[in-house]
Each structure stands twice: as structure tokens, then as C-alpha cells.
Amino acid sequence: MIRALFLDVDGTLVSFRTHRIAPSAVAALREARARGVGVFIATGRAAGDLEVLRDLPRDGVVALNGACGVLPDGTTVFSRPIPREDFERALRLSDELDFPLALELDAGIFVNRVTADVERVARQVDHPVPEATDLRALFDRTECCQMCFYCDAGREPRIMAEFPGLTANRWNPLFADINVRGVDKASGMAAMAARCGFALAEVMAFGDGGNDVPMLRAAGVGVAMGNGCPAALAAADYVTADIDDDGLRRALEHFGVIGQPGPARRIND
């Protein structure tokens, strides 16, 4: 029996084409929640960066790739901040190896310098291009649970070799989200499930990106969107239709979470 849904945002709920959540997805999730199924967001975004989901009732948010969990009343369930020494090392390497560094906070995304890649990523998720900021001053006055390194996958191993206590979660070829080692969407989902009183076997998780893979594997049922990356498709128990083809609703109908069973497709069908 499915008691909770955990849903990625970009590419799963929010289309990269329209930058909106499909009305069919909102209606489907409202129906699931009316039937007593919990609706949780599991995203690489900060919990304060979910205005695009304002019309979607939810029971909690696993934010920043599992580094932070927040209930609807604002209660923090868990938080795994970046250590000061790792931030300082990242700031130094950003200059030495010439890659932009960002802090992702509830107040927004803040970078130490703006490049073409920084601008490209902002456009992809329909965000304003961030302005260059004094990151050290910002880090001094707020808790930070996620940094972003704007580098491609080829450069990532060289950079991450300097951070044995951190891990990279990637869903975009232009940058990697950086969290404390051991943090991912699966660990965040497990912590939220424990707090809310259900088992991972009772969870259905939806995702499309590389950072969704641990969550898809850990859930009782992992569903990849048809537009997902190869790693997400391979990790999922089922692949549904594309986000822009009512994929979320189709999967929920297929598994009987809402409405009548409908067309979702198995891996390798």
C-alpha cells in the first residue's frame, strides 16, 4: 500500500519547456492527498524556492538534495550544514581552478561570479540571473546546507578530491550540487518517513535526474519520468510518460493511487 509520494521538482513536476506544473499533475496529487496519501517534495532546490508549487498542498519538503527537511508549519526536521573549513576550501579552489561557486539558500542562489554557465542554468529553471556576492560574508550570517560548483562532469573528480567530507549530486551537465557526505534524497526521504511514521516500502518516488537515483532505488516503488536521464530510467521500477504528456497522472492511475488504472510502461517494455 502506498502511503506517501516523494516528488522531484524540475523535470518531474515542473516542465523545462513551460516552467510550470501541469494542471493534470496538480489535480492528480490533490486526489491522492484526499485519499490519505501524503505528498512530499524532494528537490535539489531550497525549501524557500518553491513558489512555482504554490497551488500544490504538501505534507513536507526534503530540500537541498536531502540536506534539509521542513514541515508545512516551518518546523525543521533535520539539517546537515556545510562545515566552515569546506566552504573556505571551496572558495579558494574556485579562484585557483576558475569555476563559479554558489551558495543555495532559502533567500536565493548567490554566486561569487557570473559566467555564461551561471546565466544558462538560471534560464533553464526560469530564475533571475544571480548577482555576484561576497559569499564569505553571507556564509558568516546564515546556515548553508548546499553549495554549487559550476563545472562539468569531467572536472568534477579533480575538484571533489579536495573534499573527502562532501559529496556531489548532479542533475545538470553545467553544475553539481555539493552536500555533506552521506546526504542524498534517499537519506532525506528516510528521515522524513521516520518522522511522519511510514516505511520506505510504503513510498512511491518520482524523479528524472541523476540526483534522483538514490531516492528511486530506496522507495518501495521508484518511477522515472519518460524524459528522465539514462541513470534515472535504469534505477526506476517503472517509467511513465514524459512530464509534458501527463506522465505523473498516468503513473498514479497505473498503480491505483488515483482513478482507474491507465497506461504506464515498464522498463524495457
Side-chain angles (χ1 to χ4, degrees), residues 10 16 99-100 115-118 120-122 124-125 148-157 159 168-178 208-211 227-230:
D10 297 293
F16 288 116
F99 65 88
T115 66
D117 283 348
V118 171
R120 244 188 315 268
V121 171
Q124 286 176 3
V125 294
C148 301
F149 293 171
Y150 288 84
C151 66
D152 61 28
R155 298 183 69 197
E156 181 184 310
I159 297 170
N169 290 295
R170 182 179 288 271
W171 61 270
N172 187 297
L174 299 178
F175 75 97
D177 293 325
I178 308 300
D208 72 297
N211 61 337
N227 51 280
C229 70

Side-chain angles (χ1 to χ4, degrees), residues 136-269:
R136 182 175 286 111
L138 190 60
F139 193 91
D140 284 343
R141 64 177 184 264
T142 189
E143 180 179 83
C144 174
C145 292
Q146 181 164 289
M147 301 185 291
C148 301
F149 293 171
Y150 288 84
C151 66
D152 61 28
R155 298 183 69 197
E156 181 184 310
R158 161 68 183 91
I159 297 170
M160 292 308 298
E162 303 289 334
F163 299 96
L166 302 182
T167 189
N169 290 295
R170 182 179 288 271
W171 61 270
N172 187 297
L174 299 178
F175 75 97
D177 293 325
I178 308 300
N179 306 100
V180 173
R181 182 166 294 281
V183 165
D184 58 27
K185 289 190 181 184
S187 69
M189 181 173 68
M192 187 65 79
R195 171 63 179 264
C196 296
F198 50 84
L200 291 183
E202 299 173 304
V203 169
M204 180 180 292
F206 288 77
D208 72 297
N211 61 337
D212 297 316
V213 168
M215 176 175 72
L216 296 176
R217 289 175 173 161
V221 179
V223 179
M225 306 304 290
N227 51 280
C229 70
L233 301 180
D237 300 299
Y238 278 80
V239 177
T240 187
D242 189 285
I243 183 174
D244 294 314
D245 190 24
D246 297 326
L248 181 64
R249 182 174 191 94
R250 289 173 186 245
L252 292 175
E253 288 177 343
H254 174 81
F255 286 104
V257 178
I258 64 169
Q260 298 298 318
R265 54 188 176 86
R266 288 181 182 270
I267 294 275
N268 298 327
D269 271 5

